[in-house]
Structures are given as C-alpha cells and as structure tokens.
Amino acid sequence: MNTKKKKRIVSGIQPTGNLHIGNYLGAVKNWVELHETYDAFFPIVDLHAITLDFNPVELRKKTLEIAKVLVASGINPQKAPIFVQSDVKAHCELGWILNCVTARMSDLKKMTQFKDKSQKEGSDNATVGLFDYPVLMAADILLYDTELVPVGEDQFQHLELTRTLARRFNKKFGDTFKIPEYFVTKEGKRIMGLDDPIKKMSKSAKSKYNYISLMDSEDEIKKKVMKAVTDSDPTITYKEDRLAVKNLINIYKLLSNKSIKEIEEKYKNKGFKEFKQDLSGIIIDFVLPLQKRINSISDREIEKILEEGAKKATPIAERKIKEIRKKIGFLH
Ligand code: AMP
Ligand code: TRP
C-alpha cells in the first residue's frame, strides 16, 4: 500500500465574467486531473472578485455558477473541497496579519497585474483592495500548508511574493509556513482570442467574438468559429508563426484528443470552411453536454456542496490561524 501522504494543492478562481473554453482548457480541465492524485482545495475567491467594480446580484450568480461548472466538469467535491473563500474567515485574518508583519509597499508596487488593472480604472481610482490583492492570495495559499499551486503564467509574480512573505514570517516568528512551489500545466496553457491571436482569450475582451463562453448556444458557437481569424495560407498546418491557425488546431486537439499530425492529415486536401465546421461541431459536442450537467444542478444542491466544502476547509484554516495568533502574541 502506498502510505505516502498526498501533496496539498490549492488553486482559486474568481467568480467574475463568463467562463470560456480558455479557462476550461487552461485551468478547470487540469484541476479535474489533479484532484485525483493530490489533496486539492478549490476556493472560489469572492473576496478577490470585489477588488474591481462589481454587482452584488451578479457576484452571487457567478459564485454559484462557477461552483456548478467545477462539479459538472468532473471535480468530486468529496475528494477536493470546493468552497467560498469568504465563508472561511481565516483568509481575511491572515491577509491582515501578512499585511502588517510581512508585506511591504515596495513589494506590491512591483506587481504588474496591479499596474495593468489599475491603469484600466484610472490609477488614482484603483482601490486599496486591488493593491493588496496579492497578499490575500498569499493567505489563501499559506493557510493550508499548500505545497503546490497550479496557476496561469500571469500569476507567477504573485506566487513569488507568496514565497517571500512566507519566508519573512518564518524568519521573524519561527517555522510556520511551508514555502509553496508553483507550476503551470503545459496543455492548454494559453488559448488565444479567436478575433486576435496575439492576445489571450479573455472574459473581459471587448468583442464577444474573442471567446467561446461555456454558456454559449449552438448558434453562437458556430458563428464565432466561422468568424475566427486565420491567415492567407489556405492549408491547415500547424506552424509556430501561424498564430491564429495554431490556436484553432490546438483547441481542436485538446477537445478531440486527436494529435496535431492526425488533424493535419485529416484536412490535407480540405479548406478552412470544412475544418471550422468540424471544429464548431467538436466544441458544441463538448459544451452542450457540459451545459446540461451544469443546468441539472440546482442552486440548493450547489449551496450544500459549498457549505460542506467550507466545513472541511475551516478546521484546517482555523488550526493554522490559531498557531499564527499565538506566535505573534495575540492572547487567544
Ligand atoms: P481568470 O479568468 O483570468 O481569472 O483565470 C482563471 C483561470 O483560467 C486561471 O488559471 C488562468 O490562468 C486561466 N486562463 C484564463 N484565460 C486563459 C486562456 N486564454 N488560456 C488558458 N488559460 C486561461
Ligand atoms: N489570482 C488568481 C487568478 O486570478 C486567483 C487566486 C486567488 C488564486 N487565490 C488563489 C490562485 C490561490 C491560486 C491560489 O487566477
């Protein structure tokens, strides 16, 4: 029998915007695989979602929706708790403690994601919460003695900061936090926009032709795929410099489990019309059953799952925060 303890993984997802196939292929699909072999926790990070302008009705809706997507995609909440970050109060508390005893203004000023996001808001109008976002993220991770964090490349700087904060705390107050490793899963690492293959497919894109949402209808998917940009070369071949075509073949590959070679071979004497028709078929065959599973989960059912998730996460987080409170000199 293998008695080795499974490594702990934590990864968060924000309940904002429309989840698209890039989120699925770049994050959710990998989580489904990881939760089989690791001791995984998946917080839905609503406290992070309020760092930018938000609507309460929408926030509530998205929180439930994302939880449903995770379950419908194959994450078994018995194996890997799915919970709402704000339900586990220790996240905020540790965030504050890290703010005061480890995080420096100069660290946070270096964060490129803050610079990008605050520029969009008009720098002076960005909230203090947005500035402090990476410290709360560090708390999400450190609270669970996390060993591994699967993230997108855009989060590497935040993970380096998490490691720095953990080391500073350990140095000052004695060994308390594990220093987490992070990694990006290679497959589906970056799905690009269908209307502009230079940029990542994004839920905040201006045009809906940029992404395929997991909630899109059959007709919308067809329209979006047929409109996807290609280039002047009429052959269907995978080359590094053919950004748009490479991206479409990549999506085809990830959703059909066919190799690039097989795809190239299949469309050797065929044109983009046929390729795109087939690609939209493949996406539809993936998205519609997923939608059906999502819609079969009631709000009540998912609330129950989230409640149970929080019940599993809370004692672990509480044990850790208690240890921390003691170390820094709080009475209880
Ligand atoms: P976000 O939507 O930016 O909050 O990201 C949620 C998760 O999806 C993160 O793990 C991202 O790295 C991942 N993700 C977002 N957009 C893409 C994309 N276009 N391709 C691959 N992964 C993505
Ligand atoms: N900042 C992450 C993102 O936008 C979300 C996140 C919050 C997260 N807390 C986390 C990811 C903890 C990993 C671990 O994708």
Side-chain angles (χ1 to χ4, degrees):
M1 202 175 85
N2 184 5
T3 50
K4 239 174 96 187
K5 236 181 112 215
K6 286 182 182 175
K7 284 202 171 170
R8 167 92 27 101
I9 278 195
V10 170
S11 204
I13 189 158
Q14 294 197 59
T16 50
N18 285 315
L19 273 195
H20 51 66
I21 56 169
N23 295 124
Y24 176 80
L25 295 171
V28 179
K29 186 169 183 253
N30 299 315
W31 290 6
V32 176
E33 281 155 28
L34 291 167
H35 98 292
E36 299 287 352
T37 35
Y38 291 96
D39 176 24
F41 285 73
F42 298 119
I44 298 172
V45 294
D46 55 348
L47 296 164
H48 280 111
I50 63 170
T51 56
L52 289 175
D53 191 29
F54 69 100
N55 168 314
V57 176
E58 198 60 18
L59 177 63
R60 205 190 128 68
K61 192 174 139 215
K62 288 286 165 194
T63 304
L64 297 176
E65 187 181 291
I66 293 218
K68 288 183 188 178
V69 169
L70 296 184
V71 174
S73 300
I75 292 178
N76 175 354
Q78 303 295 336
K79 274 195 186 148
I82 299 168
F83 64 99
V84 180
Q85 180 194 32
S86 67
D87 280 345
V88 181
K89 312 296 175 202
H91 288 245
C92 273
E93 190 174 349
L94 180 57
W96 180 253
I97 293 171
L98 293 175
N99 270 336
C100 298
V101 306
T102 59
R104 301 177 187 151
M105 293 290 287
S106 56
D107 299 321
L108 295 180
K109 278 184 187 160
K110 289 187 200 134
M111 297 293 123
T112 57
Q113 191 166 86
F114 172 73
K115 287 183 203 164
D116 290 348
K117 287 187 178 174
S118 61
Q119 237 159 34
K120 281 184 201 144
E121 296 272 293
S123 297
D124 282 344
N125 297 327
T127 64
V128 177
L130 183 66
F131 187 62
D132 199 31
Y133 176 118
V135 181
L136 179 63
M137 180 166 162
D140 298 341
I141 296 166
L142 299 177
L143 205 44
Y144 296 93
D145 290 326
T146 304
E147 292 163 284
L148 278 170
V149 187
V151 277
E153 273 164 311
D154 56 337
Q155 299 297 316
F156 282 7
Q157 203 186 18
H158 292 161
L159 262 299
E160 278 304 326
L161 178 74
T162 302
R163 288 162 60 88
T164 302
L165 301 186
R167 281 200 206 95
R168 278 192 202 140
F169 190 100
N170 288 351
K171 200 163 167 221
K172 197 160 174 188
F173 300 101
D175 242 7
T176 310
F177 294 126
K178 281 216 167 109
I179 312 295
E181 307 283 337
Y182 56 93
F183 69 100
V184 61
T185 36
K186 223 163 154 211
E187 278 211 282
K189 193 161 77 171
R190 265 187 132 213
I191 304 296
M192 311 311 281
L194 298 182
D195 60 344
D196 176 6
I198 295 171
K199 293 200 198 109
K200 238 172 65 156
M201 183 178 280
S202 165
K203 53 192 172 192
S204 53
K206 281 197 193 83
S207 162
K208 66 174 183 180
Y209 290 102
N210 172 273
Y211 57 83
I212 290 171
S213 156
L214 295 182
M215 301 301 158
D216 277 348
S217 69
E218 194 169 338
D219 273 356
E220 277 170 318
I221 295 173
K222 274 189 197 149
K223 235 192 259 157
K224 288 179 176 184
V225 174
M226 295 322 275
K227 266 185 92 116
V229 297
T230 51
D231 56 28
S232 55
D233 181 345
T235 65
I236 289 133
T237 48
Y238 188 96
K239 293 202 186 99
E240 280 310 315
D241 58 349
R242 294 188 76 190
L243 297 183
V245 176
K246 194 176 92 175
N247 187 43
L248 295 180
I249 295 180
N250 205 19
I251 297 171
Y252 192 122
K253 176 189 116 178
L254 290 166
L255 288 179
S256 68
N257 288 323
K258 277 198 166 62
S259 70
I260 290 171
K261 256 209 161 78
E262 284 173 303
I263 298 167
E264 283 180 335
E265 192 57 36
K266 181 163 180 192
Y267 294 96
K268 212 168 176 180
N269 299 311
K270 292 176 183 158
F272 271 104
K273 190 164 173 228
E274 195 163 345
F275 172 80
K276 283 180 164 182
Q277 274 165 350
D278 289 354
L279 177 59
S280 54
I282 286 168
I283 298 174
I284 289 163
D285 284 347
F286 160 70
V287 168
L288 292 195
L290 179 67
Q291 285 176 1
K292 221 171 157 188
R293 292 197 296 278
I294 294 170
N295 293 332
S296 74
I297 307 171
S298 69
D299 285 1
R300 257 183 70 129
E301 272 173 276
I302 204 70
E303 291 225 40
K304 186 106 190 82
I305 287 173
L306 291 170
E307 199 184 311
E308 278 164 14
K311 268 196 194 143
K312 287 189 188 138
T314 299
I316 302 173
E318 278 300 316
R319 215 177 307 131
K320 195 79 202 168
I321 199 76
K322 239 182 157 163
E323 177 192 345
I324 295 160
R325 292 165 70 92
K326 201 166 159 196
K327 283 198 169 147
I328 64 171
F330 288 174
L331 284 188
H332 306 291

